[in-house]
């Protein structure tokens, strides 16, 4: 696999010292879920109703990305037979040598958004759905699934899609243990956060958990994704299941204040990774070009550095904005 990727990667976006966002442009790359495995970063993204479901791109430097396949190609026998549309927010996660799980959302035959999971032997698949939704609530959607391994215990994290209900209700982020290599939920469903800060509007979504030291950090997005006000916040806890306390000065990443064609609005739905050698933290997320927001336009993929404060422990991103000028390349 590494040899395959090496043949495809070309240095077209950086000069060896700096890069300029976006790192994937001119194509729709919403909701990037990023896995690091064996020297390579894999990013799976939302595909909506495209015939090939969930594009998978790979990179060795977080800057140069190349399309290598799909979670469920059009001719795949492993695609979920229960799902009919709206294939959203995939994440590929390492389970063990020889098993990788893809968590995703899709709409079932009665119109309800569900969380699904598929398994495969490599980060590029082939993947096969387990045959039924992992999370299904009659009359209420569930989306934006993520996964976190805490020691020997695995957890699923997901959003109740309350903003999609009629009338709308709250959108808690849930956490629950999973067993059977991440394919079956067990035990108590814990509520980590809900939309209770003014900037969040009607929803919180897109959770992603990392552990730094002894503290668990949940990065999440809020406000409508089609809005320039979409942004990223963070909460933290001393236990994986919570309770989580939000940073009072959220969001930590919002639209650029500079107005030009080079700037971005609506940054959100992120992954956060720590590089293998330098142990630096980076956030991978989507955003809109400033004058290209909403239906008919692409959400492009960006990368920026995250720094944890040595004193208060909270993570931050420089100026709380995406970079759009030459920036030092990630320290891998």
């Amino acid at each position: 696999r590494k040899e395959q990727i090496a043949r495809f990667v070309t240095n077209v976006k950086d000069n060896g010292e700096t890069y300029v966002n976006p790192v994937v442009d001119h194509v729709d790359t919403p909701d990037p879920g990023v896995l690091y495995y064996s020297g390579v970063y894999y990013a799976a993204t939302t595909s909506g109703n495209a015939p090939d479901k969930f594009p998978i791109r790979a990179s060795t430097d977080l800057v140069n990305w190349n399309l290598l396949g799909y979670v469920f190609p059009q001719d795949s026998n492993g695609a979920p037979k229960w799902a009919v549309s709206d294939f959203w927010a995939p994440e590929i996660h390492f389970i063990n040598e020889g098993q990788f799980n893809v968590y995703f959302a899709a709409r079932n035959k009665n119109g309800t958004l569900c969380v699904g999971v598929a398994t495969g032997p490599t980060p590029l698949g082939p993947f096969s759905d387990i045959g039924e939704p992992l999370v299904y609530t009659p009359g209420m959607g569930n989306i934006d699934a993520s996964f976190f391994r805490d020691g020997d215990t695995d957890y699923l994290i997901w959003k109740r899609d309350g903003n999609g209900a009629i009338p709308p209700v709250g959108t808690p982020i849930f956490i629950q243990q999973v067993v059977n290599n991440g394919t079956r939920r067990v035990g108590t469903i814990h509520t980590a956060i809900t939309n209770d800060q003014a900037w969040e509007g009607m929803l919180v979504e897109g959770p992603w958990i990392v552990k730094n030291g002894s503290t668990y950090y949940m990065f999440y997005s809020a406000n409508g994704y089609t809005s320039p006000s979409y942004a990223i916040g963070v909460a933290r806890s001393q236990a994986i299941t919570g309770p989580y306390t939000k940073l009072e000065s959220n969001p930590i990443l919002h639209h650029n204040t500079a107005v030009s064609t080079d700037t971005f609005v609506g940054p959100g739905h992120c992954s956060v990774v720590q590089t293998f050698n330098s142990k630096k933290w980076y956030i991978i997320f989507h955003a809109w070009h400033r004058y290209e927001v909403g239906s008919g336009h692409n959400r492009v993929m960006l990368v920026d550095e995250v720094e944890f404060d040595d004193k208060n422990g909270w993570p931050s991103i420089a100026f709380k904005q995406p970079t759009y000028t030459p920036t030092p390349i990630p320290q891998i």
Side-chain angles (χ1 to χ4, degrees):
R1 297 292 178 181
K2 284 189 286 187
E3 289 78 8
Q4 178 186 13
I5 291 164
R7 289 199 300 271
F8 279 89
V9 170
T10 56
N11 292 318
V12 296
K13 301 185 187 304
D14 70 78
N15 61 12
E17 297 180 354
T18 62
Y19 74 100
V20 177
N21 274 319
V23 294
V24 179
D25 200 0
H26 309 299
V27 65
D28 204 29
T29 53
D31 314 324
V34 177
L35 165 74
Y36 174 79
Y37 176 72
S38 190
V40 177
Y41 297 90
Y42 298 88
T45 54
T46 283
S47 56
N49 296 320
D52 294 310
K53 299 170 179 65
F54 303 137
I56 304 173
R57 291 176 171 82
S59 174
T60 57
D61 60 8
L62 292 175
V63 172
N64 297 285
W65 294 88
N66 288 273
L67 180 65
L68 294 188
Y70 299 87
V71 172
F72 303 123
Q74 187 171 4
D75 58 355
S76 169
N77 293 321
K81 294 179 173 55
W82 56 265
V84 296
S85 64
D86 295 333
F87 288 81
W88 298 346
E91 292 185 8
I92 304 171
H93 289 274
F94 172 87
I95 303 300
N96 54 53
E97 292 298 339
Q99 182 174 338
F100 295 80
N101 288 1
V102 179
Y103 297 92
F104 60 92
R107 198 175 298 275
N108 70 5
K109 295 176 182 178
N110 67 18
T112 303
L113 284 163
C114 305
V115 169
V117 61
T119 66
T122 78
L124 296 175
F127 291 101
S128 295
D129 180 73
I130 64 170
E132 61 183 2
L134 181 60
V135 184
Y136 166 59
T137 306
M140 177 60 68
N142 295 276
I143 64 172
D144 290 358
S146 192
F147 172 90
F148 187 82
R149 174 164 290 166
D150 190 32
D152 295 328
T153 307
D154 296 337
Y155 293 90
L156 181 74
I157 308 101
W158 76 96
K159 170 203 174 183
R160 183 179 74 181
D161 196 39
N163 57 291
I166 302 175
V169 295
T171 59
I173 302 295
F174 293 134
I175 301 178
Q176 187 179 20
Q177 186 180 349
V178 284
V179 295
N180 290 6
N181 290 329
T183 62
R184 183 167 67 87
R185 298 185 295 127
V186 296
T188 302
I189 299 176
H190 304 269
T191 299
I193 61 171
T194 190
N195 51 311
D196 56 11
Q197 289 186 329
W199 71 275
E200 295 167 348
M202 293 178 60
L203 61 95
V204 290
E205 62 186 13
W208 181 276
I209 292 177
V210 302
K211 188 176 184 181
N212 189 31
S214 61
T215 303
Y216 301 86
Y217 295 87
M218 177 181 289
F219 295 81
Y220 67 94
S221 299
N223 216 301
Y225 80 91
T226 59
S227 166
S229 297
Y230 200 55
I232 294 173
V234 67
R236 69 183 180 186
S237 174
Q238 293 304 304
I240 177 64
T241 54
Y244 282 80
T245 301
K246 293 178 181 177
L247 179 65
E248 290 185 2
S249 59
N250 273 334
I252 63 168
L253 183 66
H254 57 65
H255 64 274
N256 291 119
T257 54
V259 178
S260 80
T261 56
D262 296 327
T263 60
F264 304 98
V265 298
H269 205 121
C270 67
S271 300
V272 178
V273 299
Q274 187 177 33
T275 57
F276 183 77
N277 293 314
S278 72
K279 304 303 180 186
K280 296 283 189 178
W281 293 93
Y282 293 92
I283 185 169
I284 304 96
F285 57 99
H286 74 237
W288 307 95
H289 286 288
R290 175 167 291 276
Y291 299 111
E292 300 174 8
V293 180
S295 179
H297 298 293
N298 294 324
R299 282 173 282 175
V300 295
M301 197 164 84
L302 295 79
V303 174
D304 277 306
E305 185 174 1
V306 176
E307 294 187 293
F308 285 86
D309 190 283
D310 290 337
K311 294 181 180 179
N312 64 34
W314 285 107
S316 64
I317 298 162
F319 304 108
K320 292 190 173 186
Q321 300 176 43
T323 60
Y324 60 94
T325 57
T327 301
I329 61 171
Q331 297 180 39
I332 300 301

